[in-house]
Amino acid sequence: MRRAGCGGSVRCSCVRTPVGLDDDFFELGGNSLFAVRIGAALRARGLPSLRLRELYRHPTIRATVRSLAPSDG
């Protein structure tokens, strides 16, 4: 399993388990409280905040990153 970078370390610290790029946040025990913590941890690191809605729509790190990437067009 491939491990994630900074976004993964944020999720790891919030759900307290190793997180791979394709691990589902909710299958790892994530919930709305952990989602709020992820947003706060991103802001604390000077990173853009993540809307909770986006985490629910894209529950893996890979999917979240893809959704936040600028589109070509």
Side-chain angles (χ1 to χ4, degrees), residues 2-21 23 25 28 34 37-42 44-45 47 60-62 65:
R2 190 165 169 208
R3 296 282 171 223
C6 184
S9 68
V10 169
R11 284 195 185 185
C12 287
S13 67
C14 290
V15 296
R16 303 195 194 307
T17 187
V19 178
L21 293 175
D23 290 338
F25 173 72
L28 293 172
F34 288 145
R37 289 180 182 172
I38 288 172
L42 288 170
R45 288 174 169 80
L47 298 169
T60 68
I61 293 170
R62 188 181 312 272
V65 169

Side-chain angles (χ1 to χ4, degrees), residues 29-69:
N31 56 42
S32 60
L33 178 58
F34 288 145
V36 170
R37 289 180 182 172
I38 288 172
L42 288 170
R43 284 189 303 280
R45 288 174 169 80
L47 298 169
S49 184
L50 177 64
R51 289 183 172 193
L52 297 182
R53 168 181 21 191
E54 294 307 312
L55 185 56
Y56 279 88
R57 289 180 180 164
H58 311 284
T60 68
I61 293 170
R62 188 181 312 272
T64 300
V65 169
R66 284 184 183 154
S67 75
L68 298 174

